[in-house]
């Protein structure tokens, strides 16, 4: 699975959009981009995933660049409960079912 | 639908002892993966079980083992505990579709709340 690079920390004002970047310049054509988050002392929570098209669900939007070398997770209206560590993971859709977590981005939503 | 459950939630053990942790996956999920999370090493994959068979294993010593039962529930065991085994142990379940003999389609994983193990 390809390696990802994320900023270690970010702040976002409550109610504003939080845009979390992820670089995955070595991604291969059949690797997906997954996002998870982990609120303090809880298990990670799946957020969204995509291959090449932008994706949206009730939690977030995922924007993947045309060359697929980077992506952005967007939380449209951040709340205090969105304060967490966000992990960007690139993985194949088939094969071993294990996740390689990097260090992630610690997002702090400020009142 | 009930989520992934893990028992116990907290555990204190002494060096040299052994411990068994339990994980019940989401109903219908047949894949169970285990992870260890420590402040120094972050989240690390331990092993994955599917249909009572270990499919994949991370880079951990043989003191760490696991098994899966016919109802997909899984246990992991750590023998001869060391201080460095103090960690949050997380279990994740996912539904796997089988496409042929070897291939399987990954899906998102759903994590339990974890078991906090403290070794003194």
């Amino acid at each position: 699975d390809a390696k990802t690079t994320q900023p270690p920390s970010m702040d976002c004002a409550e109610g504003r959009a939080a845009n979390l970047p992820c670089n995955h310049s070595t991604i291969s054509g059949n690797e997906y981009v997954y996002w998870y988050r982990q609120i303090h002392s809880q298990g990670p929570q799946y957020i969204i995933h995509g291959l090449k098209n932008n994706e949206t669900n009730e939690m977030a939007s995922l924007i993947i660049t045309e060359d697929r070398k980077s992506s952005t997770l967007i939380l449209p209206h951040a709340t205090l409960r969105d304060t967490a560590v966000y992990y960007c993971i690139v993985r194949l859709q088939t094969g071993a079912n294990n996740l390689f977590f990097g260090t992630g981005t610690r997002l702090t939503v400020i009142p | 639908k009930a989520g992934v459950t893990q028992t116990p939630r907290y555990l204190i053990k002494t060096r040299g002892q052994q411990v068994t942790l339990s994980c019940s996956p989401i109903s219908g999920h047949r894949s169970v993966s285990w992870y260890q999370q420590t402040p120094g090493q972050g989240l690390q994959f331990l092993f994955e079980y599917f249909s009572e068979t270990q499919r994949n294993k991370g880079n951990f010593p043989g003191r760490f083992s696991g098994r899966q039962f016919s109802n997909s529930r899984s246990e992991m065991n750590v023998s001869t505990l060391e201080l460095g085994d103090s960690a949050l142990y997380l279990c994740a379940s996912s539904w796997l579709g089988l496409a042929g003999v070897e291939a399987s389609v990954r899906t998102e994983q759903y994590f339990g709340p974890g078991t906090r193990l403290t070794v003194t």
Side-chain angles (χ1 to χ4, degrees), chain B residues 43-112:
Chain B
L43 268 158
Q44 293 185 292
F45 171 76
L46 278 158
F47 30 65
E48 179 206 0
Y49 285 87
F50 177 74
S51 291
E52 302 178 64
T53 301
Q54 187 180 90
R55 280 163 37 98
N56 196 26
K57 189 176 189 302
N59 188 26
F60 278 82
R63 299 185 297 107
F64 292 82
S65 63
R67 59 176 175 169
Q68 186 180 35
F69 302 95
S70 58
N71 61 357
S72 295
R73 189 177 70 85
S74 177
E75 289 180 348
M76 68 161 284
N77 183 78
V78 187
S79 63
T80 319
L81 284 166
E82 301 176 359
L83 295 179
D85 296 333
S86 294
L88 180 67
Y89 289 89
L90 292 156
C91 160
S93 79
S94 63
W95 179 88
L96 280 184
L98 289 176
V101 177
E102 295 295 331
S104 62
V105 177
R106 293 169 163 177
T107 61
E108 57 268 24
Q109 296 190 20
Y110 295 89
F111 285 79

Side-chain angles (χ1 to χ4, degrees), chain A residues 4-78:
Chain A
T4 63
T5 304
Q6 299 177 253
S9 64
M10 292 181 63
D11 291 339
C12 177
E14 188 178 15
R16 304 296 294 269
N19 296 280
L20 294 94
C22 178
N23 286 320
H24 31 81
S25 58
T26 60
I27 192 170
S28 64
N30 54 354
E31 287 182 309
Y32 285 69
V33 179
Y34 279 75
W35 283 83
Y36 284 77
R37 73 179 182 183
Q38 186 175 25
I39 296 170
H40 182 63
S41 294
Q42 297 182 21
Q45 176 189 24
Y46 164 79
I47 301 173
I48 197 168
H49 75 280
L51 181 62
K52 58 178 71 175
N53 298 318
N54 298 338
E55 302 287 344
T56 295
N57 63 19
E58 65 278 2
M59 288 183 67
S61 294
L62 173 60
I63 309 297
I64 302 173
T65 57
E66 192 169 343
D67 63 7
R68 302 207 326 118
K69 293 183 184 298
S70 66
S71 61
T72 301
L73 177 75
I74 300 173
L75 308 179
H77 305 287

